[in-house]
């Protein structure tokens, strides 16, 4: 059995290595994966439906399942690395993980420092509030008023959007993204502007909270997997995503966690 496992592992990676050599491409990431026998996936563990950590050390969600599928495809062990939105790019630059998953938005700022996989979905920013107040916060003009408290998690595109669009309302940073919606339900804040896909999950999980216009968000942006600047590694990830799409496996995973 010990002899069989390395043979199976090489069977996965040798065709890829031959292809890269033929194209004159080298991949530090793939070489490290082959050497260590593991792929490191960066997840924040605080963003449903993509990933959340409960109990500590156990990750669930759409991208936790996609991460397991990638490791299986590569024939290596899955290692989940806990990252955060404020440290997402720094952790990638420090080589703490090979691929960042978990609902990462594609932005020009991030593209300057990293690569992205083929897009997974298109989403945008939309509000979520207590149901009795949801109609008041259907527009940015309705949200950005004195007396309104807008809550946001720091370090990601939610904070960037809020700081660019909120000047009259009170903006409150809440560092624990896993409990941020409890603050709204409890009346400690009025509204949060986040990705439309998350507002739908929140409305399902919190009976007193409602998503407003998730099908017509304020913005549009793509979500994809975050990669170091390693073109050959991006090709391998994109090929895998194409295979997941063609086989219907990606659709099944998305439907499981989003519907």
């Amino acid at each position: 059995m010990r002899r069989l496992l390395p043979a199976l592992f090489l069977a996965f990676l040798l065709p890829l290595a031959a292809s890269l050599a033929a194209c004159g491409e080298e991949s530090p990431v793939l070489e490290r994966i082959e050497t260590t026998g593991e792929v490191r996936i960066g997840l924040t563990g605080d963003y449903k439906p993509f990933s959340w950590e409960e109990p500590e050390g156990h990750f669930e969600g759409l991208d936790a399942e996609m991460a397991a599928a990638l490791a299986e495809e590569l024939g290596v062990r899955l290692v989940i690395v806990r990252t955060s939105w404020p440290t997402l790019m720094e952790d990638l630059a420090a080589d703490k993980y090979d691929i960042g998953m978990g609902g990462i938005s594609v932005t020009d700022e991030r593209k300057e420092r990293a690569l992205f996989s083929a897009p997974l979905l298109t989403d945008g920013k939309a509000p979520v509030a207590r149901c009795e107040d949801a109609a008041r916060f259907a527009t940015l003009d309705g949200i950005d008023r004195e007396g309104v408290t807008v809550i946001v998690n720091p370090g990601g595109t939610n904070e960037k959007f809020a700081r660019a669009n909120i000047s009259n309302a009170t903006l409150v940073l809440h560092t624990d993204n896993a409990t941020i919606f409890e603050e709204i339900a409890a009346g400690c804040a009025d509204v949060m502007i986040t990705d439309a896909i998350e507002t739908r999950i929140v409305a399902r999980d919190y009976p007193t909270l409602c998503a407003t216009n998730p099908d017509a968000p304020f913005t549009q942006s793509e979500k994809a997997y975050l990669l170091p600047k390693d073109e050959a590694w991006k090709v391998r990830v994109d090929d895998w995503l194409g295979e997941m799409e063609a086989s219907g496996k990606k659709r099944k995973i998305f439907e499981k966690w989003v519907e």
Side-chain angles (χ1 to χ4, degrees):
M1 186 64 177
R2 290 181 178 177
R3 294 180 180 178
L4 179 59
L5 288 175
L8 289 173
F9 177 67
L10 288 175
F12 280 105
L13 291 182
L14 282 177
L16 174 63
S19 173
L20 294 175
C23 298
E25 298 250 4
E26 293 185 356
S27 171
V29 174
L30 284 165
E31 289 174 4
R32 196 205 61 78
I33 291 172
E34 180 178 3
T35 299
T36 63
E38 63 184 32
V39 60
R40 302 168 302 169
I41 310 291
L43 291 175
T44 62
D46 62 0
Y47 183 11
K48 293 183 178 182
F50 298 100
S51 79
W52 65 97
E53 188 179 8
E54 186 180 1
E56 186 175 352
H58 176 72
F59 288 78
E60 292 190 1
L62 186 160
D63 275 330
E65 195 162 335
M66 289 290 284
L70 176 59
E72 182 180 4
E73 166 68 15
L74 294 171
V76 297
R77 184 169 66 95
L78 170 63
V79 176
I80 294 180
V81 177
R82 185 72 150 81
T83 185
S84 69
W85 298 110
T87 64
L88 186 71
M89 300 307 297
E90 287 72 18
D91 288 348
L92 180 69
D95 192 30
K96 292 185 178 181
Y97 58 84
D98 303 311
I99 176 171
M101 296 183 171
I104 300 172
S105 297
V106 178
T107 67
D108 290 339
E109 182 180 359
R110 288 170 177 166
K111 285 166 68 175
E112 289 179 0
R113 303 171 62 185
L115 298 177
F116 279 95
S117 71
L120 299 165
L121 57 91
T122 300
D123 203 13
K125 301 301 179 188
V128 59
R130 290 181 298 279
C131 293
E132 64 265 28
D133 298 325
R136 294 170 50 206
F137 303 133
T139 66
L140 281 172
D141 285 341
I143 294 170
D144 190 24
R145 294 172 180 254
E146 290 187 6
V148 175
T149 300
V150 179
I151 194 167
V152 67
N153 59 309
T157 57
N158 287 343
E159 182 184 5
K160 185 176 180 181
F161 180 85
R163 292 198 180 281
N165 291 278
I166 302 301
S167 56
N168 297 309
T170 300
L171 189 62
V172 173
L173 291 182
H174 187 74
T175 57
D176 184 5
N177 199 37
T179 63
I180 198 167
F181 300 105
E182 295 172 12
E183 296 293 299
I184 301 174
C188 300
D190 296 310
V191 61
M192 181 180 182
I193 303 172
T194 185
D195 293 318
I197 190 171
E198 185 175 33
T199 68
R200 293 186 179 95
I201 301 298
V202 170
R204 182 193 68 190
D205 292 347
Y206 293 83
T208 61
L209 301 185
C210 286
T212 302
N213 300 329
D215 296 322
F218 299 142
T219 63
Q220 280 200 334
S221 63
E222 294 176 331
K223 291 195 179 297
Y225 294 146
L226 183 69
L227 306 165
K229 288 193 172 182
D230 183 327
E231 293 286 351
W233 176 224
K234 171 179 164 55
V235 169
R236 184 66 182 92
V237 171
D238 285 347
D239 285 348
W240 164 70
L241 284 173
E243 293 165 3
M244 291 287 287
E245 188 76 49
S247 67
K249 292 180 181 178
K250 174 175 173 283
R251 176 180 55 79
K252 288 181 180 179
I253 291 174
F254 273 59
E255 287 179 350
K256 173 181 175 181
W257 295 103
V258 176
E259 296 300 326

